[in-house]
Amino acid sequence: MDGRMASCLCGSAPCILCGCCPASRNSTVSRLIFTVFLFLGVVVSIIMLSPGVESQLYKLPWVCEEGAGTPVVLQGYIDCGSLLGFRAVYRMCFAMAAFFFLFTLLMICVRSSRDPRAAVQNGFWFFKFLVLVGITVGAFYIPDGSFSDVWFYFGVVGSFLFILIQLVLLIDFAHSWNQRWLGKAEERDSRAWYAGLFIFTLLFYALSIAGVTLLFIYYTRPGACHEGKVFISLNLTLCVCVSIVAILPKVQNAQPNSGLLQASVIMLYTIFVTWLALSNVPDQKCNPHLLASSSNGTSLAGPEGYETQWWDAPSIVGLIVFILCTLFISVRSSDHRQVNSLMQTEDCPPMLEAGQQQVAASEGRAFDNEQDGVTYSYSFFHFCLVLASLHIMMTLTNWYKPGETRKMISTWTAVWVKICASWAGLLLYLWTLVAPLLLPNRDFS
């Protein structure tokens, strides 16, 4: 009994998860548990935003103080307690980002599970949890000062990069989906698979067009909201151009698996990011999420007479997409070489011999599939979780910037970051299409 407990706390195979799926790869199990650590931090951050928690936050040294400790009176619009949850989320996400950044540095250049550092990556979960708790406790005792102002810009950059990672994962997902269904269509000589691809492609394009229409209806006004009109129109035009490029004969010859399914997924995601951007426009006429001031306690008023909700539709959908993409990072194994190059992963690893799997299952442990080489970059995986921590911080706080103004309203910074991320994502997808044509001497198979 003591030996099994020590194995759970210090061994290379996490017992609880392995008991549920004992024949799992060690690489997948480790990524899933690190992702669970991230999700625990997200849950704590959400709790920080709930009413009633702020009364306990008053005991910390950085709340309701500015400069020499003079209580802050927020221009008469919101009292200090309203901001405590948002500033607490900054500290919680700082702790998660610091924890994963520590492992980013620690796991640089790990080539196989024979490296002693691989044992740290794949085991010692109890002690790693204690390290995360210790960093979190320390983060809540950081004096405010310029901490929130500086950390906001880290969040901006991290969120921008994570939006691009989400798009890379969508490219990977759409590519794998398209290739798998085309393979089944050829293998079974059935047109039903082709029909399925056509239906889903048509559905995604229809949803994208519907999304564009709704954006024009709810986020623009005649004679106003010129920025929103430009953003929507430009992104729609770019999506159409990318879709045309995806089916050009030269592109099809260089990449037979590219097609409209991938382009439709990218278009839908671009319209989604455009929606997220427009939901942060600080103009009530152009943003239906900015409500008139009220006293129901569900939102906070700004000096212009409107208020920003803590939870609105874009934030909820963004949180769902974040969870799905983070889980996909943990379990993905791809045969898309360009995506593998971008995500620092290898091709789908071969399975162990059946006898080895049976031994692993009988002993209630995950099997080591990385003795000859790691299936993903440990360091880059943790860097992705650093970016995920920063992205969820900005999502949960609705891009509130402490220190710039003592009010909770949307900012143009959030709008431009998300719009620029959508443009960068389209350029990245366009590059995956034309790279084999521009660099014919390189292998993009």
Side-chain angles (χ1 to χ4, degrees):
M1 181 68 179
D2 293 339
R4 290 185 60 85
M5 180 64 70
S7 175
C8 286
L9 299 181
C10 306
S12 62
C15 300
I16 297 177
L17 190 54
C18 293
C20 299
C21 43
S24 300
R25 297 184 179 95
N26 214 26
S27 59
T28 303
V29 173
S30 297
R31 284 183 287 177
L32 282 173
I33 295 184
F34 275 114
T35 304
V36 169
F37 281 9
L38 175 66
F39 288 164
L40 285 176
V42 173
V43 171
V44 173
S45 297
I46 294 175
I47 293 174
M48 294 294 182
L49 296 174
S50 62
V53 176
E54 64 186 38
S55 61
Q56 298 300 317
L57 298 177
Y58 274 106
K59 300 176 183 178
L60 298 176
W62 45 265
V63 300
C64 297
E65 295 181 358
E66 185 173 8
T70 305
V72 178
V73 179
L74 303 182
Q75 303 177 7
Y77 298 105
I78 8 177
D79 72 27
C80 182
S82 302
L83 299 179
L84 297 187
F86 279 36
R87 296 162 77 179
V89 170
Y90 267 53
R91 280 160 174 76
M92 185 66 232
C93 293
F94 168 80
M96 292 193 297
F99 174 77
F100 292 121
F101 186 70
L102 174 64
F103 279 90
T104 300
L105 298 178
L106 183 62
M107 297 299 162
I108 291 176
C109 295
V110 175
R111 303 299 184 190
S112 72
S113 60
R114 294 185 175 92
D115 191 309
R117 292 174 294 170
V120 179
Q121 168 76 5
N122 298 318
F124 302 96
W125 298 106
F126 177 73
F127 298 106
K128 285 188 282 194
F129 179 73
L130 291 182
V131 171
L132 177 58
V133 172
I135 295 175
T136 302
V137 172
F140 276 85
Y141 283 90
I142 298 175
D144 198 29
S146 59
F147 167 79
S148 298
D149 300 332
V150 174
W151 195 237
F152 171 83
Y153 291 104
F154 277 91
V156 167
V157 175
S159 186
F160 175 87
L161 294 176
F162 192 77
I163 290 174
L164 296 185
I165 287 178
Q166 287 181 331
L167 184 128
V168 171
L169 295 175
L170 283 175
I171 294 175
D172 182 21
F173 173 75
H175 171 84
S176 301
W177 183 6
N178 185 70
Q179 191 173 40
R180 187 175 295 110
W181 281 27
L182 287 177
K184 289 183 178 180
E186 295 175 359
E187 178 185 346
R188 303 179 184 181
D189 193 21
S190 173
R191 295 184 179 181
W193 297 102
Y194 293 113
L197 288 175
F198 174 78
I199 291 173
F200 276 103
T201 301
L202 190 64
L203 174 64
F204 293 150
Y205 275 119
L207 290 174
S208 300
I209 298 302
V212 169
T213 303
L214 292 174
L215 290 181
F216 272 114
I217 292 175
Y218 290 103
Y219 292 88
T220 64
R221 293 291 182 271
C225 310
H226 302 295
E227 297 88 352
K229 295 175 182 177
V230 171
F231 292 152
I232 300 170
S233 302
L234 182 58
N235 279 3
L236 176 61
T237 303
L238 292 175
C239 288
V240 172
C241 293
V242 166
S243 298
I244 294 174
V245 171
I247 58 174
L248 290 177
K250 290 185 177 180
V251 174
Q252 288 289 302
N253 290 334
Q255 297 195 73
N257 289 322
S258 69
L260 289 179
L261 177 65
Q262 294 94 317
S264 65
V265 171
I266 300 307
M267 180 175 181
L268 185 59
Y269 180 73
T270 301
I271 300 304
F272 165 68
V273 175
T274 307
W275 177 42
L276 295 182
L278 295 180
S279 68
N280 286 113
V281 172
D283 186 344
Q284 187 180 11
K285 294 180 296 186
C286 309
N287 186 356
H289 300 287
L290 299 179
L291 306 177
S293 300
S294 64
S295 59
N296 57 12
T298 60
S299 51
L300 301 173
E304 287 81 4
Y306 57 83
E307 45 192 33
T308 303
Q309 290 180 302
W310 285 16
W311 290 100
D312 50 20
S315 297
I316 294 174
V317 177
L319 180 61
I320 295 173
V321 172
F322 163 82
I323 292 174
L324 294 177
C325 287
T326 308
L327 286 174
F328 192 47
I329 291 175
S330 303
V331 301
R332 69 178 295 277
S333 57
S334 176
D335 54 7
H336 192 301
R337 293 191 178 181
Q338 287 176 269
V339 173
N340 283 330
S341 178
L342 289 169
M343 294 297 294
Q344 298 291 300
T345 53
E346 302 294 338
D347 291 345
C348 296
M351 294 292 289
L352 289 184
E353 296 294 332
Q356 293 176 286
Q357 294 186 43
Q358 291 176 1
V359 172
S362 63
E363 295 180 358
R365 60 178 176 83
F367 59 81
D368 185 0
N369 63 315
E370 298 180 307
Q371 293 180 357
D372 297 326
V374 296
T375 60
Y376 66 101
S377 169
Y378 290 176
S379 184
F380 187 78
F381 169 72
H382 289 293
F383 181 68
C384 289
L385 295 187
V386 171
L387 300 181
S389 303
L390 297 173
H391 178 71
I392 197 62
M393 178 183 77
M394 304 308 290
T395 300
L396 293 178
T397 60
N398 205 15
W399 292 73
Y400 158 68
K401 181 181 179 182
E404 178 187 67
T405 55
R406 292 296 181 176
K407 54 186 181 292
M408 291 175 59
I409 61 173
S410 301
T411 63
W412 279 105
T413 302
V415 178
W416 279 106
V417 168
K418 294 175 183 178
I419 287 296
C420 290
S422 69
W423 295 340
L426 287 171
L427 290 176
L428 182 62
Y429 175 62
L430 182 63
W431 171 252
T432 65
L433 295 176
V434 303
L437 301 177
L438 299 179
L439 302 173
N441 295 326
R442 293 190 59 181
D443 180 17
F444 290 97
S445 59

